[in-house]
Amino acid sequence: MGKLEFAIRRVFQLVLTLWAVGTMLFVIFRLMPGDPTSYILSPGMDAEARRQIVEDFGLNAPMHEQYISFLTNAVFLDFGRSFHTSEPVQDVIFRLLPNTLILMLAAFTMAYTAGVILGVFVGASRGTKFEKGGIVLALVQRSMPTFWVGILVLWVFGAYLGVIPMAGMRSPGASPDSFLAMVFSLDFFWHLIAPAACLAFYAMGYPLLLMRNSMLEILGEEFIDVCEAKGLKRRTVLFKHAARNAFLPIVTAAAVSLGFAVGGSVLIETVFGWPGLGREMVRSVIRRDFPVAQGAFIMLAGFVITMNFIADLAYGYLDPRVTYD
Amino acid sequence: MGVKDEPGESIFSDLEEYADIGDDRTKLQRTYELWRETLAEQWGLLKQDALVVFGIVTIAFFAVIAVIAPLIAPHDPLERQYGADGILISQWFEPFWLGGEGGHLLGTTAEGYDIFSQLIFGTRPALIVGFAAAVITATVGTMVALTAGYYGGRTDDVLMRIVDIAYGLPLLPTVILMVAYLGPNFFNVIIAVCLLQWRSSARVIRSQVLSLRERPFVQSARVAGASDWRIISRHIAPNVLPLTFLYAAFAIGWGILTEAGVSFLGLGDPSQVSWGTMLQSAHTYNAMSFGTWWWFVPPGICIALVVISGFLIGRGYEEITNPKLRKRH
Amino acid sequence: MTLLEVNDLRIHYETSAGPVQAVDGVSFSIDEGENLGIVGESGCGKTTLADAILGILEENGYVAGGEIRFKGEDLTELTGAERRRIMWDEISMIPQSAMNALDPVYTVREQILESIFTHRKMSKKEANERVDELFELVGLDPDRADDYPHQFSGGMRQRAMIAMALSLDPALILADEPTTALDVIMQDQILKRISALQDEINSSMMIITHDVSVVAETCDRVVVMYAGKVAEEGPASTIFDKPYHPYSVGLKGAFPNIRKPNQDLVSIPGHPPELVDPPTGCRFADRCPLATDVCYSEDPPEVTDHADDLRTFCHHVDQIDGGFRDRADERATWEETKAAREVSQ
């Protein structure tokens, strides 16, 4: 099978997964036991408002019509309006999604740089105290709940030392001209560093362990002996040859862990009051702002699914041996 | 794709021959003994690892605490405490050894609950969720893997597409949605937490089954006319058992972390105290700013201890079952 | 002139069961332009020996004694950087299985260029021309140099490895089972190619193999190793026509002989001993039809006066000419050893 054919088949799988996730959401929100409107409407609403919402949302239409219009709208990222603010869900998403992405990107860059490099050294020092220490460190990182680490960081660095802000994405007085101007401001960086570091602290254990296992396998290969016999420096053998080969499984794994990180970002955003999509999803679930919750969820799921897709393609690009059969 | 991770070869496949000695026992007895042998051998290997022993001891310790919680806890975890003046506590008390009133070992929360009692009772939901996640991951994941891997073809295709879809769902948001719509009681939290846990075990164990299916001892059993059930239960399942346990051990950790996260977000069972809800109320009352560390440090340590115990046990298993990780000398 | 001189070399592996004495007091030398074959069963320390000369022992392996003199310099005393300067430039290798000897994520050209640039200052253009030249030398199409290793067949990869080994005109090439992974016709081609190239650049070679016929075709001298020790050492012609160590005699009978096509192949029953706690006396005694009590109690003496330029470590050299050579062609002879009796029980 050629690369193109593989890519096409993978696209079909992507669409299938997106469709399945969308359908599942539709079912969860609408086919729950009891009156579907009771999940959506707040009890305090008067009859007129209630009728209006039911009408707006098409909740009185036959189920299959609702389903079709739900899917068509979802394709155009149209999830209706927030019950609370009447703001179009699309606007909410596009306002908050960049915040989440920046946080994730910062955290993942840190986590994967540190995790992979440390993993190379841990994998290369088999049977030493350093190796054991590295493994335990990685497990400890993954065992500490991110939100708890966040709380500790806020306590020590925020309240006690006073070097980081206690919440939010920018200082109350700051009013940057544009989103980009804000992102590149020192104030933003000051707010970003703690949540990103907490997320990275948690996320780096995974690449560390994977890289270590992968390195152990690669270092046993014959071509590593040849590289050493060629008189290459230890660093060259470790990074240019061993790590480059050991890195392949990490690419695929990164996608899976990104899925976890999207979940983790929900917690980190809540702890640090970071105005992202994850926190918004939780808040809208709690106040039963169903369209926002649904839209945010689909975006988060879409993100995970897309990352899986990219990872699969990237794997083929990085490893010339992959034949796609 | 052409390049696949070859799953670690089981070191237990030779047990298969062992079980065929002596025909006076019933099939069931032999199957039972085969499984018992497998487990005994693995246990023998496991207890050589100090970190695994640490994990098992820690979990056992917390299990004992969970069982005898009412005997240790000085107060009802959800009963508001009164100060010396007989008024409900509305601002926290410090632990008595920091000079706090009322003799509370870890002080009280801002709502006047005894923190130590909450911590003790918090072991219960944590361990139940961990145990449930382990069992469900082990059973569902292994069943799906055995079915898909052994029967192959269309069955495999359908089951693996379902696994793909499960992988498309972000873990915590999915759990949040499920809890929100099933209703925040403890049973629903368990269901939601376990909903996606089986996906990784299913995927990995399936590839192991695929390679086992082609091994000579399975092929010869098939030629000899053994039934599917016999092949699966006698020849394949015992060989994937180490992987099953590995994923079960990891699932303890993931289950507890997920439950804690859901509770921390305020979607836990309100009628029950868990370590996650303790951290939620500490965060809500901004305990970090007031430096009341005795409120928010202990629950986190407890979570981390139980979770790392699960990981350490799983890790120990991985080192045994994956020959590539085993020491060469 | 002597190129490589190995003196009383001892190599140990640290294991949980104690140190494994994989190479135990081995001495031999290679002259410039000479080919030396190291023969023995797997696990007799051949590969360990090569790894030690190349400086790529496993992490738990170390040189416990003796010296490896290359052009007069003791390699075991060099620092890592000094040693890396010599590696590949002066001593290169053709590894055991070329299948996995090339890094799968770089093209063959990139890998040969890497070995050139590590040791030589050269323009990119010159180096690329060198790669093309090497490819032609080993009989590969230079256009294929930009392929990845997985696009090559087994034989092509072996040729590519040879090209890489020759890239810096090394004084010594260590070839570890250079042809075992190939079919017979390919083996022959590759061996002929290696010999021809070697004459051209006048390098020495050390060929490690369990296949006596490979050595017969390519080597000037042979070292027969058993259980970490030298059993016999001498000119290839002597070792093939008239060996004096019972093990060499047995090995010779274990491979097909063109001159006696109908002869039964013999095999030597048993295994080499464990090297964590090696037996006293002659290590081959258990599997030797000539073994007597003295073999179990005393180390075999070095015998040098029985044939020209031959060193044999055996208590019973005098019995070889007395009919053993003929008896050795019969299987029954080898059934009388202690190891064979243990197997049949």
Side-chain angles (χ1 to χ4, degrees):
Chain A
M1 196 190 322
K3 287 199 181 195
L4 186 68
E5 202 182 324
F6 173 77
I8 291 170
R9 209 172 71 159
R10 207 49 198 76
V11 169
F12 271 116
Q13 204 177 316
L14 175 98
V15 173
L16 174 78
T17 310
L18 281 172
W19 168 79
V21 169
T23 306
M24 221 142 58
L25 266 188
F26 181 84
V27 171
I28 285 178
F29 280 90
R30 263 153 274 231
L31 295 188
M32 282 287 169
D35 177 9
T37 58
S38 67
Y39 291 102
I40 301 159
L41 305 173
S42 50
M45 254 178 215
D46 62 47
E48 178 55 26
R50 191 178 277 263
R51 198 195 54 77
Q52 186 59 44
I53 281 180
V54 169
E55 191 103 319
D56 282 358
F57 218 78
L59 288 176
N60 46 5
M63 205 53 82
H64 68 273
E65 273 178 34
Q66 284 189 41
Y67 178 58
I68 288 167
S69 74
F70 167 80
L71 285 184
T72 1
N73 288 340
V75 168
F76 299 103
L77 300 181
D78 176 7
F79 303 108
R81 286 167 177 277
S82 161
F83 287 156
H84 267 253
T85 60
S86 299
E87 192 185 358
V89 174
Q90 206 173 34
D91 293 359
V92 176
I93 287 171
F94 285 119
R95 184 158 47 80
L96 301 179
L97 185 63
N99 301 343
T100 294
L101 290 183
I102 288 171
L103 178 59
M104 302 265 296
L105 199 70
F108 259 69
T109 314
M110 284 197 258
Y112 272 75
T113 314
V116 165
I117 292 175
L118 214 56
V120 169
F121 286 119
V122 171
S125 50
R126 174 175 202 97
T128 62
K129 286 222 169 66
F130 178 73
E131 184 196 28
K132 199 122 195 163
I135 292 172
V136 172
L137 169 78
L139 290 179
V140 167
Q141 286 176 321
R142 276 151 72 67
S143 304
M144 293 165 44
T146 39
F147 55 92
W148 181 59
V149 175
I151 288 174
L152 294 185
V153 166
L154 282 174
W155 166 45
V156 175
F157 294 97
Y160 188 71
L161 297 173
V163 292
I164 55 160
M166 292 300 285
M169 198 171 74
R170 56 179 179 224
S171 301
S175 52
D177 307 332
S178 68
F179 181 73
L180 275 182
M182 182 203 73
V183 167
F184 289 106
S185 68
L186 208 60
D187 181 55
F188 179 79
F189 182 73
W190 185 51
H191 282 80
L192 175 71
I193 189 76
C198 282
L199 203 53
F201 178 79
Y202 175 77
M204 74 174 273
Y206 192 52
L208 195 165
L209 288 179
L210 271 178
M211 198 64 191
R212 176 246 172 187
N213 289 358
S214 193
M215 282 294 285
L216 284 188
E217 271 181 42
I218 298 292
L219 285 175
E221 299 264 346
E222 184 130 25
F223 71 83
I224 295 297
D225 284 348
V226 173
C227 287
E228 281 174 6
K230 273 159 92 173
L232 305 182
K233 290 198 190 75
R234 177 101 179 127
R235 195 160 25 101
T236 314
V237 176
L238 276 187
F239 282 94
K240 187 178 170 190
H241 294 278
R244 171 70 209 278
N245 277 279
F247 190 63
L248 298 173
I250 312 290
V251 178
T252 321
V256 180
S257 77
L258 259 174
F260 276 113
V262 170
S265 78
V266 173
L267 293 165
I268 281 291
E269 287 174 6
T270 304
V271 176
F272 287 94
W274 186 266
L277 206 55
R279 189 177 76 130
E280 189 60 28
M281 199 209 118
V282 175
R283 296 209 303 192
S284 51
V285 162
I286 290 174
R287 61 187 184 211
R288 304 217 172 270
D289 193 345
F290 153 56
V292 178
Q294 181 176 262
F297 184 88
I298 288 193
M299 287 312 290
L300 293 177
F303 180 70
V304 176
I305 294 166
T306 313
M307 287 318 296
N308 287 348
F309 172 71
I310 290 172
D312 269 8
L313 294 189
Y315 193 75
Y317 176 76
L318 287 173
D319 187 348
R321 287 166 300 180
V322 172
T323 53
Y324 302 105
D325 51 16
Chain B
M1 284 193 279
V3 176
K4 277 222 176 77
D5 282 337
E6 191 58 34
E9 246 181 68
S10 170
I11 49 179
F12 306 106
S13 45
D14 54 339
L15 284 172
E16 196 265 330
E17 289 164 36
Y18 174 89
D20 277 335
I21 304 167
D23 275 332
D24 48 338
R25 287 167 296 163
T26 65
K27 276 184 193 173
L28 209 66
Q29 264 176 327
R30 272 185 287 155
T31 308
Y32 164 76
E33 261 174 47
L34 170 70
W35 285 61
R36 200 181 50 87
E37 276 296 320
T38 311
L39 291 176
E41 178 156 358
Q42 286 172 20
W43 171 240
L45 286 168
L46 269 179
K47 63 183 183 199
Q48 291 167 12
D49 189 333
L51 291 175
V52 172
V53 173
F54 169 82
I56 292 172
V57 168
T58 308
I59 287 186
F61 170 76
F62 277 102
V64 170
I65 299 277
V67 171
I68 60 169
L71 301 177
I72 319 172
H75 302 283
D76 185 315
L78 284 174
E79 184 192 7
R80 294 189 64 181
Q81 301 298 310
Y82 293 87
D85 46 9
I87 301 168
L88 273 173
I89 300 169
S90 58
Q91 179 70 343
W92 53 76
F93 283 172
E94 295 184 351
F96 69 84
W97 39 273
L98 285 177
E101 294 173 50
H104 298 280
L105 183 58
L106 289 173
T108 71
T109 72
E111 291 150 314
Y113 300 124
D114 180 57
I115 293 175
F116 181 66
S117 303
Q118 293 205 327
L119 196 66
I120 295 294
F121 274 94
T123 45
R124 289 184 162 185
L127 287 187
I128 293 171
V129 165
F131 182 70
V135 170
I136 292 180
T137 305
T139 51
V140 178
T142 309
M143 304 276 233
V144 170
L146 286 173
T147 315
Y150 183 77
Y151 290 102
R154 180 147 293 193
T155 320
D156 184 35
D157 260 356
V158 170
L159 286 172
M160 283 306 110
R161 287 298 82 73
I162 293 174
V163 171
D164 283 343
I165 291 166
Y167 263 106
L169 293 168
L171 183 69
L172 203 56
T174 309
V175 176
I176 290 166
L177 269 195
M178 289 311 293
V179 174
Y181 288 94
L182 289 174
N185 71 51
F186 186 56
F187 181 74
N188 291 341
V189 171
I190 292 179
I191 296 286
V193 165
C194 298
L195 192 71
L196 293 180
Q197 292 288 355
W198 57 274
R199 60 186 181 184
S200 46
S201 56
R203 191 179 264 184
V204 174
I205 295 174
R206 168 191 165 263
S207 64
Q208 171 84 339
V209 174
L210 281 183
S211 92
L212 282 170
R213 198 175 59 166
E214 304 306 324
R215 297 277 182 81
F217 66 90
V218 174
Q219 296 287 9
S220 58
R222 191 173 303 165
V223 173
S227 68
D228 286 351
W229 167 245
R230 188 185 148 85
I231 293 174
I232 291 177
S233 69
R234 291 271 317 273
H235 299 274
I236 295 184
N239 282 296
V240 299
L241 209 56
L243 272 179
T244 303
F245 277 111
L246 190 154
Y247 276 89
F250 282 138
I252 298 175
W254 293 126
I256 292 173
L257 279 179
T258 314
E259 188 274 335
V262 171
S263 300
F264 174 74
L265 294 171
L267 291 153
D269 189 336
S271 65
Q272 195 175 27
V273 175
S274 79
W275 294 331
T277 53
M278 289 176 74
L279 288 170
Q280 184 223 353
S281 67
H283 183 250
T284 313
Y285 282 95
N286 205 2
M288 306 82 80
S289 296
F290 298 101
T292 59
W293 56 268
W294 52 86
W295 186 359
F296 56 78
V297 171
I301 291 178
C302 288
I303 296 174
L305 270 178
V306 182
V307 171
I308 202 168
S309 298
F311 287 170
L312 286 174
I313 296 170
R315 188 84 210 150
Y317 244 112
E318 203 171 359
E319 301 275 344
I320 298 173
T321 53
N322 187 348
K324 284 172 186 158
L325 297 181
R326 252 184 292 157
K327 291 216 159 48
R328 274 168 290 182
H329 44 274
Chain C
M1 218 189 102
T2 307
L3 182 69
L4 181 83
E5 197 183 339
V6 173
N7 284 324
D8 196 25
L9 186 65
R10 291 162 202 280
I11 300 162
H12 293 180
Y13 287 110
E14 209 57 69
T15 71
S16 47
V20 170
Q21 299 162 27
V23 171
D24 191 8
V26 167
S27 305
F28 61 87
S29 64
I30 302 178
D31 283 346
E32 264 177 32
E34 188 181 60
N35 281 359
L36 178 83
I38 307 252
V39 187
E41 285 165 289
S42 52
C44 70
K46 297 171 296 184
T47 301
T48 300
L49 190 62
D51 286 353
I53 296 168
L54 288 162
I56 54 168
L57 283 171
E58 301 267 320
E59 294 137 62
N60 60 329
Y62 57 94
V63 174
E67 49 182 26
I68 303 169
R69 291 200 171 275
F70 179 78
K71 293 190 172 170
E73 207 172 8
D74 188 355
L75 295 183
T76 60
E77 294 191 336
L78 296 184
T79 64
E82 286 168 339
R83 182 146 199 171
R84 279 196 291 274
R85 231 189 343 269
I86 294 176
M87 285 156 89
W88 216 263
D89 195 1
E90 299 266 22
I91 307 176
S92 72
M93 74 185 287
I94 301 168
Q96 199 153 21
S97 78
M99 288 313 266
N100 305 314
L102 292 159
D103 188 334
V105 300
Y106 296 101
T107 63
V108 177
R109 183 185 294 281
E110 282 169 328
Q111 296 185 54
I112 298 179
L113 285 178
E114 185 184 40
S115 64
I116 295 175
F117 286 134
T118 304
H119 297 280
R120 297 262 197 284
K121 287 226 173 331
M122 207 186 260
S123 75
K124 249 208 160 101
K125 187 163 167 284
E126 276 178 294
N128 272 314
E129 280 167 10
R130 174 75 180 143
V131 175
D132 292 345
E133 183 190 313
L134 285 164
F135 256 57
E136 268 163 24
L137 216 56
V138 297
L140 287 172
D141 179 0
D143 292 339
R144 297 291 303 270
D146 293 307
D147 284 357
Y148 287 95
H150 73 275
Q151 292 165 298
F152 277 21
S153 70
M156 288 167 77
R157 275 186 238 187
Q158 189 63 289
R159 283 162 195 257
M161 258 329 290
I162 294 168
M164 188 148 91
L166 295 173
S167 59
L168 300 164
D169 293 332
L172 176 65
I173 300 169
L174 302 194
D176 190 351
E177 306 274 8
T179 56
T180 30
L182 305 174
D183 61 65
V184 184
I185 297 169
M186 193 61 83
Q187 275 188 17
D188 192 50
Q189 279 185 10
I190 295 275
L191 284 176
K192 288 208 172 101
R193 178 76 66 173
I194 292 177
S195 298
L197 292 171
Q198 200 201 345
D199 289 345
E200 211 166 303
I201 64 170
N202 193 32
S203 67
S204 300
M205 187 143 81
M206 179 171 136
I207 296 180
I208 292 166
T209 181
H210 66 276
D211 185 343
V212 180
S213 60
V214 170
V215 177
E217 249 174 88
T218 43
C219 293
D220 307 309
R221 292 184 72 80
V222 176
V223 172
V224 179
M225 275 185 78
Y226 186 78
K229 282 180 176 289
V230 173
E232 190 161 37
E233 197 251 308
S237 52
T238 316
I239 298 245
F240 286 108
D241 294 338
K242 236 176 143 211
Y244 277 87
H245 195 287
Y247 181 58
S248 317
V249 178
L251 267 188
K252 191 185 145 202
F255 283 90
N257 188 331
I258 312 167
R259 274 163 281 183
K260 296 181 191 166
N262 296 326
Q263 175 202 317
D264 276 353
L265 292 183
V266 298
S267 66
I268 310 174
H271 306 279
E274 288 288 333
L275 295 177
V276 180
D277 183 22
T280 48
C282 177
R283 291 181 179 182
F284 186 59
D286 271 354
R287 302 170 70 190
C288 181
L290 299 174
T292 55
D293 287 347
V294 68
C295 301
Y296 287 100
S297 56
E298 277 171 47
D299 282 351
E302 178 176 349
V303 182
T304 51
D305 52 2
H306 54 311
D308 191 30
D309 198 21
L310 189 71
R311 292 191 297 149
T312 306
F313 292 80
C314 181
H315 289 290
H316 300 301
V317 168
D318 50 332
Q319 294 185 28
I320 303 293
D321 281 331
F324 180 71
R325 235 187 284 283
D326 296 324
R327 282 201 295 132
D329 289 345
E330 292 156 26
R331 266 187 208 168
T333 308
W334 298 95
E335 314 273 297
E336 286 157 23
T337 63
K338 189 172 168 221
R341 283 194 297 275
E342 274 165 15
V343 169
S344 63
Q345 266 164 20

